[in-house]
Amino acid sequence: MQVVSNNLNTFRVLYIVKGVLSLLAALFFVGYLAFLNIFINESTTMPDANIDVMSVLNIIMGIGFILCLIVGILTLMAAKYIGQTCNYTFVLVIAILNCLSGILGIILGVFTIIEINKPHIKMLFDQND
């Protein structure tokens, strides 16, 4: 019987790290939003402006927080599924999604796609689905 090695455990750990970093990035948005709301008062706003700048910044920071939170949770779920070698399609989609999030995400996503497309890795995922 031939033993075939794979790097799935390494990818699982890297996905956990990436997920935690994404959750920490969500905290950046919360901290920046708190900083803006505490230290920027009404006297610094522009009275002639047609829009309220603080409202726009609050919306942008809220969207950034939600996106980072979602990406972090999905990345941690992908780490779990890689460890269990199940949900091949979900792991593939999250690998592609991670390719949109900076250099760490690009490297992790590309190498994950390469690794899970190997025939013996696909067989592992098929056995556990």
Side-chain angles (χ1 to χ4, degrees), residues 1-2 6 9 14 18 22 29 33-34 50-52 56 59 62 64 66-67 82-83 100-101 106 108 122 126-127:
M1 181 179 202
Q2 179 182 358
N6 61 48
N9 194 39
L14 291 173
K18 176 71 169 62
S22 294
F29 286 104
L33 183 65
N50 291 334
I51 60 170
D52 183 19
V56 172
I59 291 170
I66 291 170
L67 287 177
I82 288 172
L100 302 174
S101 63
I106 292 170
L108 185 59
K122 276 189 177 180
D126 290 339
Q127 289 173 357

Side-chain angles (χ1 to χ4, degrees), residues 81-96:
Y81 293 148
I82 288 172
Q84 296 173 351
T85 60
C86 62
N87 292 337
Y88 174 84
T89 306
F90 182 81
V91 173
L92 183 64
V93 168
I94 297 303
I96 294 169

Side-chain angles (χ1 to χ4, degrees), residues 7-32:
N7 298 318
L8 290 180
N9 194 39
T10 304
F11 282 111
R12 184 182 64 82
V13 171
L14 291 173
Y15 269 85
I16 291 171
V17 170
K18 176 71 169 62
V20 169
L21 288 175
S22 294
L23 293 175
L24 288 175
L27 289 179
F28 165 78
F29 286 104
V30 170
Y32 196 74

Side-chain angles (χ1 to χ4, degrees), residues 33-94:
L33 183 65
F35 174 79
L36 285 176
N37 286 321
I38 291 172
F39 293 111
I40 307 290
N41 58 22
E42 291 297 322
S43 65
T44 59
T45 59
M46 297 176 287
D48 302 353
N50 291 334
I51 60 170
D52 183 19
V53 177
M54 285 305 294
S55 296
V56 172
L57 287 175
N58 286 338
I59 291 170
I60 292 172
M61 293 299 140
I63 291 171
F65 170 74
I66 291 170
L67 287 177
C68 285
L69 193 66
I70 289 171
V71 168
I73 291 170
L74 290 176
T75 304
L76 290 174
M77 287 174 60
K80 175 186 170 195
Y81 293 148
I82 288 172
Q84 296 173 351
T85 60
C86 62
N87 292 337
Y88 174 84
T89 306
F90 182 81
V91 173
L92 183 64
V93 168
I94 297 303

Side-chain angles (χ1 to χ4, degrees), residues 96-116:
I96 294 169
L97 181 67
N98 274 323
C99 288
L100 302 174
S101 63
I103 191 69
L104 176 61
I106 292 170
I107 293 170
L108 185 59
V110 167
F111 284 119
T112 303
I113 292 168
I114 291 170
E115 180 71 19
I116 66 173

